[in-house]
């Protein structure tokens, strides 16, 4: 009799999970959220082996294989593409899924065969000067190849600001013309405006130029003799201790999803001071002259560039890059109510001997999602709602992985009840604000705040949360793909620090305490949200 009774217990648990206290179940999951578990996973994901996890490159593939292996280890089912090809077992023919959602993105980058010419016509004679790519000029445009010839106008610093009563565009009709401008902030501006006012002024100028319908912008920084920094030779490769600040900016290809319309931004060319002076030749003014005079006398008259036009032909290389999201899932009692827990796993790659390890951005978020997956299966109980664990590719290129996911669902969009996004969860906001973390969430879901407040108390998690409800939750990461699709979101976010988007974003700078607390409160919340009706 006794033995028979014991053998019934597991059946009892499966049928009546709620007979056990929810707190006991949550505590069981919380037990696996330990600093050691976080260190073990982050240590590999943000190591040099994954080479900065650049979208479509080897390091990113290694990282995605690691994530898929961990999902399998944590008994999370594969939720990616259906495997093609023959299976030995007829019952799983074309039904088994992989952990990967494969797709292609378009990469556009500037090639080496760009042409930049200056045409000067005086008295019926035209002189053509041709400049050297990457030395005299650089094309900073990565859309479609363009061929254009248009007059050029000098606009000084190219600034318009009402507060300073200053306008470089006052007397000129710029429609269909190139503008040549000096791309530094002069002292009279930096002394009178605050940094955010300067930023706002430059944004206003950009949209003003767009409205005017200019042909393109030619920019010159005084003192620049060569427009592209030389690649570092092998014997000059810096010690990859990665302690030093960013040596050069990363190359700037543009990535997009195949179906997306290519937005025609204003073409932008950087020129050396020598090239700019060639354009100004014959006016009696040089870049240096203008800069030194402008310091004492603002609104300087602009030299007229009569008979001068610029010809530009750009060389844009377009290729397709194969990328993949990693998708795992726990099928709940209800398959038509889904919670998507996501984090991007890509980062910025490597260059010139430096690796952008992206430990905080965003190996930390991936470790968060992996650890949550493990905590959920550790309860041994099937949740009510279905939970998807998603690891996005190509976030750094414009949220391409999460956008692709949202647009390619095999079920109605309304089945997704919410998205919890994790991006950069291993840094406190600042040294003097040690405990604070923002919780951005969809305003109509007051429940997200209520359950956070309750669970922090119930499970003794010592975390100060600044609640940031919004009808249109802001931010530049993957939750935006869900916000734009009308899906409620929730996102814990501590701070940006100086390592952000530099090779110094390494595991050694992780703050394990905040990371662990964010994952603990997220687990308690997910368990509640996945097992209650709302
Ligand atoms: Zn990120």
């Amino acid at each position: 009799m006794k033995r028979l009774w014991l053998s019934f217990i597991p059946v009892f648990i499966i049928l009546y999970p709620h007979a056990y206290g929810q707190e006991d179940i949550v505590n069981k999951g919380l037990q696996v959220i330990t600093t050691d578990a976080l260190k073990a996973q982050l240590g590999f994901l943000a190591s040099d082996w994954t080479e900065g996890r650049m979208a479509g490159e080897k390091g990113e593939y290694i990282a995605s294989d690691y994530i898929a292996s961990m999902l399998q280890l944590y008994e999370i089912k594969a939720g990616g593409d259906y495997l093609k090809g023959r299976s030995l077992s007829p019952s799983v023919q074309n039904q088994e899924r992989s952990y990967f959602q494969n797709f292609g993105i378009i990469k556009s980058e500037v090639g080496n065969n760009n042409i930049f010419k200056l045409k000067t016509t005086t008295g019926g004679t035209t002189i053509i000067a041709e400049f050297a790519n990457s030395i005299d000029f650089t094309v900073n445009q990565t859309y479609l190849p363009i061929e254009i010839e248009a007059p050029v106008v000098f606009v000084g610093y190219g600034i318009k600001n009402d507060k300073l009563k200053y306008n470089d565009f006052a007397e000129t009709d710029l429609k269909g013309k190139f503008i040549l401008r000096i791309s530094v902030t002069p002292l009279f501006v930096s002394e009178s405006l605050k940094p955010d006012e300067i930023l706002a002024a430059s944004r206003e100028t950009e949209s003003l130029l767009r409205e005017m319908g200019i042909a393109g912008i030619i920019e010159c920084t005084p003192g620049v003799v060569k427009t592209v920094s030389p690649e570092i030779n092998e014997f000059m490769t810096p010690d990859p201790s990665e302690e030093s600040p960013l040596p050069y900016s990363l190359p700037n290809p543009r990535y997009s999803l195949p179906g997306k319309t290519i937005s025609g931004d204003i073409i932008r060319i950087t020129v050396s001071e020598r090239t700019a002076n060639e354009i100004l030749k014959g006016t009696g003014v040089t870049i240096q002259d203008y800069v030194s005079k402008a310091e004492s006398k603002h609104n300087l008259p602009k030299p007229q560039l009569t008979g001068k036009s610029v010809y530009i032909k750009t060389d844009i290389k377009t290729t397709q890059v194969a990328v993949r999201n990693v998708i795992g899932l726990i099928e709940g009692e209800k398959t038509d109510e889904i919670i998507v827990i996501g984090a991007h796993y890509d980062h910025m790659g490597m260059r010139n001997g430096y690796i952008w390890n992206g430990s905080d951005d965003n190996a930390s978020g991936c470790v968060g999602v992996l650890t949550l997956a493990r905590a959920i299966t550790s309860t041994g109980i099937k949740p009510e709602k279905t939970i998807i664990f998603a690891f996005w590719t190509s976030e750094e290129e414009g949220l391409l992985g999460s956008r692709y996911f949202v647009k390619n669902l095999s079920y109605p969009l309304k089945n997704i009840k919410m998205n919890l996004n994790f991006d950069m969860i291993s840094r406190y906001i600042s040294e003097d604000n040690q405990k604070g973390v923002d919780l951005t969430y969809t305003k109509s879901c007051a429940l997200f705040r209520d359950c956070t407040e309750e669970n922090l108390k119930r499970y003794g998690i010592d975390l100060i949360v600044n609640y940031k409800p919004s009808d249109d939750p802001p931010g530049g990461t993957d939750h935006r793909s869900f916000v734009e699709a009308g899906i409620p979101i929730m996102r814990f976010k501590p701070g940006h620090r100086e390592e952000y988007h530099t090779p110094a974003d390494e595991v050694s700078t992780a703050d394990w305490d905040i990371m662990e607390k964010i994952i603990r409160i997220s687990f308690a919340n997910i368990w509640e949200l996945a097992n209650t009706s709302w």
Side-chain angles (χ1 to χ4, degrees):
M1 194 60 195
K2 230 176 178 177
R3 279 179 67 187
L4 190 66
W5 167 238
L6 278 173
S7 73
F8 269 106
I9 288 178
V11 178
F12 181 75
I13 293 170
I14 290 162
L15 293 177
Y16 302 101
H18 301 293
Y20 276 72
Q22 287 295 331
E23 280 189 35
D24 294 338
I25 297 167
V26 172
N27 278 320
K28 211 169 161 187
L30 287 174
Q31 274 171 20
V32 304
I33 305 171
T34 63
T35 304
D36 280 345
L38 307 185
K39 284 184 178 172
Q41 298 170 100
L42 194 72
F44 179 77
L45 258 184
S47 71
D48 288 355
W49 290 114
T50 60
E51 298 180 346
R53 308 183 302 280
M54 181 71 202
E57 293 190 4
K58 186 178 131 202
E60 204 209 22
Y61 274 82
I62 292 173
S64 55
D65 261 10
Y66 169 79
I67 291 168
S69 289
M70 297 309 278
L71 287 174
Q72 198 168 8
L73 181 66
Y74 299 158
E75 298 172 355
I76 305 295
K77 281 173 66 177
D81 298 339
Y82 286 94
L83 290 173
K84 293 184 183 77
R86 284 195 308 157
S87 162
L88 292 178
S89 161
S91 63
V92 295
Q93 183 81 37
N94 291 332
Q95 284 177 25
E96 276 198 10
R97 302 178 84 157
S98 87
Y99 285 99
F100 305 111
Q101 181 182 34
N102 294 280
F103 60 103
I105 56 175
I106 307 293
K107 178 185 184 183
S108 311
E109 56 194 323
V110 178
N112 296 320
N113 300 315
N114 302 287
I115 300 170
F116 181 100
K117 292 179 189 173
L118 173 69
K119 294 189 180 179
T120 310
T121 306
T122 34
T125 313
T126 299
I127 298 168
I128 300 174
E130 187 163 349
F131 296 96
N133 194 17
S134 300
I135 295 171
D136 298 326
F137 77 98
T138 302
V139 174
N140 302 312
Q141 184 261 134
T142 44
Y143 306 93
L144 293 170
I146 286 171
E147 185 175 7
I148 183 171
E149 184 178 336
V152 56
V153 176
F154 180 67
V155 294
Y157 295 103
I159 296 171
K160 180 179 184 295
N161 189 271
D162 294 341
K163 191 174 164 187
L164 297 176
K165 296 192 173 57
Y166 185 89
N167 184 1
D168 277 326
F169 310 110
E171 297 153 36
T172 331
D173 171 24
L174 298 176
K175 192 173 168 59
K177 295 174 185 162
F178 281 106
I179 59 161
L180 169 64
R181 80 170 172 204
I182 301 168
S183 65
V184 289
T185 306
L187 217 54
F188 68 85
V189 173
S190 57
E191 281 175 346
S192 329
L193 299 179
K194 295 189 200 110
D196 55 328
E197 287 177 316
I198 295 174
L199 194 69
S202 87
R203 285 203 185 116
E204 267 171 47
T205 308
E206 287 292 309
S207 51
L208 179 74
L209 292 173
R210 236 171 269 271
E211 279 167 32
M212 287 175 174
I214 62 162
I217 302 172
I218 299 166
E219 289 177 309
C220 167
T221 307
V224 169
V225 287
K226 218 172 173 188
T227 55
V228 170
S229 307
E231 287 285 317
I232 292 179
N233 289 325
E234 209 174 322
F235 65 88
M236 288 170 65
T237 299
D239 182 332
S241 66
E242 293 142 23
E243 294 294 315
S244 340
L246 189 66
Y248 295 114
S249 60
L250 282 165
N252 189 25
R254 173 161 294 235
Y255 295 80
S256 55
L257 286 171
K260 192 138 191 331
T261 325
I262 299 165
S263 57
D265 227 22
I266 300 175
I267 183 170
R268 212 172 276 270
I269 310 284
T270 308
V271 297
S272 66
E273 189 172 324
R274 187 178 77 109
T275 309
N277 284 336
E278 279 300 320
I279 299 172
L280 291 171
K281 204 169 169 179
T283 63
V285 177
T286 65
I287 293 290
Q288 282 303 341
D289 286 344
Y290 189 86
V291 168
S292 49
K293 281 185 192 141
E295 284 310 335
S296 51
K297 189 176 186 299
H298 306 162
N299 292 316
L300 271 183
K302 312 286 183 298
Q304 296 299 307
L305 305 177
T306 29
K308 299 218 178 190
S309 65
V310 161
Y311 168 88
I312 289 167
K313 189 176 178 189
T314 64
D315 168 32
I316 307 295
K317 288 192 286 187
T318 304
T319 45
Q320 197 184 37
V321 179
V323 290
R324 56 188 190 176
N325 290 325
V326 189
I327 314 282
L329 81 119
I330 296 175
E331 228 164 64
E333 298 294 341
K334 295 175 182 165
T335 50
D336 60 348
E337 290 194 17
I338 301 167
I339 293 177
V340 178
I341 308 176
H344 76 87
Y345 74 95
D346 69 304
H347 194 53
M348 299 169 76
M350 55 180 182
R351 198 188 180 202
N352 286 349
Y354 287 83
I355 298 174
W356 275 249
N357 294 95
S359 174
D360 188 43
D361 185 12
N362 181 33
S364 71
C366 295
V367 170
V369 179
L370 282 171
T371 307
L372 289 167
R374 183 176 176 216
I376 293 165
T377 48
S378 298
T379 64
I381 291 166
K382 189 176 193 174
E384 281 288 308
K385 294 186 180 64
T386 292
I387 301 173
I388 286 179
F389 303 93
F391 301 83
W392 316 117
T393 179
S394 313
E395 186 267 357
E396 304 287 5
E397 326 306 341
L399 323 181
L400 302 185
S402 54
R403 285 199 201 289
Y404 182 85
F405 176 87
V406 169
K407 295 214 162 75
N408 292 276
L409 300 171
S410 56
Y411 43 82
L413 183 69
K414 67 172 176 41
N415 288 7
I416 300 180
K417 295 294 158 204
M418 70 176 297
N419 164 242
L420 268 100
N421 190 60
F422 295 87
D423 194 357
M424 304 171 67
I425 57 165
S426 63
R427 302 261 194 277
Y428 276 112
I429 288 171
S430 66
E431 295 300 339
D432 52 346
N433 185 10
Q434 284 281 309
K435 300 287 173 192
V437 45
D438 289 349
L439 173 60
T440 306
Y441 65 98
T442 305
K443 199 175 177 181
S444 57
C445 299
L447 170 72
F448 295 172
R449 176 182 181 143
D450 297 346
C451 78
T452 304
E453 282 177 332
E454 274 168 34
N455 286 328
L456 285 171
K457 267 186 246 149
R458 189 174 296 145
Y459 300 103
I461 302 163
D462 170 29
L463 187 67
I464 294 167
V465 178
N466 315 306
Y467 295 94
K468 307 245 161 125
S470 168
D471 290 326
D472 183 28
T477 182
D478 296 296
H479 65 279
R480 286 298 303 170
S481 303
F482 291 86
V483 171
E484 284 160 17
I487 297 166
I489 68 103
M490 190 175 185
R491 176 195 188 205
F492 284 104
K493 177 78 177 71
H496 267 29
R497 293 280 294 275
E498 60 280 8
E499 309 88 359
Y500 174 68
H501 280 194
T502 73
D505 179 5
E506 294 188 81
V507 177
S508 56
T509 61
D511 190 316
W512 306 105
D513 179 60
I514 190 124
M515 198 173 161
E516 192 179 320
K517 284 172 182 165
I518 289 174
I519 300 169
R520 291 173 90 80
I521 183 59
S522 298
F523 170 66
N525 284 348
I526 289 162
W527 190 257
E528 187 170 333
L529 296 167
N531 288 292
T532 48
S533 301
W534 46 279

